[in-house]
Amino acid sequence: MGIPGPTTSQRTKATALDTAIIYVSAGLALLFAVTVPRLFDNRAISAPMIVLVAGALLGLVFDNVEAVTPGWHPAVAEYLSEVCVIVALMGVGLAIDRPLGWRSWKSTRRLLLIAMPLGIAAVAVLGWWAAALTPAAAVLLGAALAPTDPVLASDVQVEGPTSGEGSHREDDEVRFALTSEAGLNDALAFPFVYLALFLYTKGPIEDWIVSWVLWELLGKIVVGAVVGAVAGHLVGRAVFHFPVEHVRLADRGEPIVALAATFAVYGIAELVGGYGFLAVFVCAVAMRRIERAHEYHAEMHSLIEQLEHVLTLAVLLLLGAGLTTGLLAELSWGSVLVGAALVLVIRPVVGWLSLLGCDELDGRERRVTAFFGVRGIGSVYYLAYAAAEFDLAQEQELWAAVAFTVVLSVLIHGVSATRVMRMLDNARVQGST
């Protein structure tokens, strides 16, 4: 006789409890979003750090909170972190004042094409050797930990759209490199996630490696970029140059169009097979090309930034709850070594090497840029996506490794960001006098 499943009343009760926990998390995230950043502005304690601690306490108080934490319910983590990432990508794209150009984005290009693949390979090899992961699981760990997220250490990102008067961060190569890198590597890590999933499911590598290169690595990137560029141009023209003047959204100050574009462009890109993350970021950059100095960009960015903060803190709250409800149960010393090595050694080294030929950065700026490879919501999304789509071997070990690395990054980079960037700014001022 098989083991009986839950009754309808039990399922209803569990669903109601899960819903209640989600509402509690949303309420706390909103409260933290409007209070914590002001309480700890320009201090070594960041809002993400406080929220992680609050989440851990939430996990201790509520017995069933693990039902909606990453690892226990990857579908919840996947959808919540997915919305968080695409909203953040629109915000990042709108925040960047610098026009797109091959030479002007040199530091970004080097971080993406050199540092990111080297970092994925180093984490995969170390995960296989030190954490005893299978080759597929090791590649997935490397891919999941590839995206950077400067939103979790706001001092290392650009301020936002300017209206032409300039900003002390507008031409800051360090902040530009870190912000633009984060805007693109959320999408460019996706081919390597698929590489890991193909290793899990498709048999000998020679049977599928060519199709992976042509479609997952190249084709989907091209499709996503084209969709984003076309959509961004069309939306920008409609917003700023619509033929009927009183319908022109830029003149009316309706920033909700940024959110509408975010979801619509992401959906279109996914429907036609491209990378939606890339499409959203490219769409935002294309929109900035239209009337670049218009104050409407700042209005759109402000709306997106507020929503982004709420979603980010909600994910971190659930991640913190997972820390005290078993998410780290399978954490091994090998996984600790991988996470610590990525934050303290691998990213700083590969980042520094990739920027050696970048004359826009001096030695100090190169070291700072290399160090601040903040890991965050993108890592949660990629692992949740893989776990929701496939029955992963060593899934709990992967969740433990990712959670540990994200928490370590939030702590180290959160504590150091304000002080390091202030020292860097002061050094620039003294050097210019």
Side-chain angles (χ1 to χ4, degrees), residues 146-431:
T148 56
D149 189 352
V151 172
L152 297 181
S154 58
D155 282 301
V156 303
Q157 65 173 329
V158 297
E159 288 180 330
T162 60
S163 57
E165 294 85 357
S167 164
H168 78 280
R169 296 187 182 185
E170 182 178 357
D171 297 318
D172 187 327
E173 191 67 27
V174 172
R175 290 184 171 95
F176 166 77
L178 291 170
T179 304
S180 56
E181 177 197 14
L184 286 165
N185 64 15
D186 275 303
L188 300 185
F190 230 133
F192 300 96
V193 173
Y194 280 118
L195 176 63
L197 295 179
F198 285 7
L199 288 171
Y200 269 117
T201 62
K202 288 187 175 292
I205 191 171
E206 59 270 16
D207 292 345
W208 49 263
I209 189 63
V210 174
S211 63
W212 174 80
V213 171
L214 293 178
W215 181 237
E216 311 298 337
L217 184 61
L218 300 177
K220 288 187 174 182
I221 290 176
V222 172
V223 172
V226 170
V227 169
V230 172
H233 178 77
L234 294 177
V235 171
R237 297 292 299 181
V239 165
F240 294 102
H241 302 293
F242 196 77
V244 183
E245 186 173 349
H246 69 273
V247 183
R248 202 171 295 159
L249 293 176
D251 296 335
R252 295 178 58 193
E254 296 285 354
I256 196 68
V257 70
L259 197 57
T262 300
F263 295 133
V265 171
Y266 182 78
I268 292 171
E270 291 292 315
L271 284 174
V272 299
Y275 288 129
F277 286 172
L278 180 61
V280 170
F281 177 76
V282 173
C283 173
V285 173
M287 288 168 62
R288 284 301 313 272
R289 292 181 64 249
I290 311 297
E291 300 289 343
R292 180 172 298 279
H294 199 287
E295 62 184 11
Y296 183 63
H297 292 298
E299 296 176 16
M300 290 192 293
H301 179 263
S302 178
L303 172 67
I304 292 293
E305 187 178 40
Q306 292 179 44
L307 179 58
E308 169 198 317
H309 286 165
V310 172
L311 292 170
T312 298
L313 296 182
V315 175
L316 290 177
L317 195 70
L318 295 179
L319 181 64
L323 301 179
T324 52
T325 55
L327 192 59
L328 298 180
E330 298 298 326
L331 184 66
S332 65
W333 285 109
S335 296
V336 171
L337 176 62
V338 173
L342 172 62
V343 173
L344 300 174
V345 180
I346 294 174
R347 162 63 189 208
V349 170
V350 299
W352 182 81
L353 289 173
S354 70
L355 295 171
L356 281 178
C358 191
D359 298 332
E360 292 80 2
L361 296 163
D362 61 28
R364 183 189 295 108
E365 292 173 329
R366 192 177 300 123
R367 291 190 294 271
V368 170
T369 306
F371 175 71
F372 281 107
V374 188
R375 265 55 193 180
I377 308 304
S379 298
V380 174
Y381 167 74
Y382 277 127
L383 185 53
Y385 170 83
E389 293 291 325
F390 300 95
D391 184 15
L392 300 176
Q394 300 180 300
E395 179 181 335
Q396 295 308 311
E397 290 92 331
L398 289 170
W399 272 116
V402 167
F404 171 79
T405 306
V406 170
V407 171
L408 181 66
S409 177
V410 168
L411 293 176
I412 291 179
H413 295 125
V415 167
S416 59
T418 300
R419 179 177 299 178
V420 170
M421 297 309 293
R422 184 182 297 144
M423 292 173 58
L424 186 61
D425 290 336
N426 291 338
R428 289 168 175 157
V429 171
Q430 292 172 4

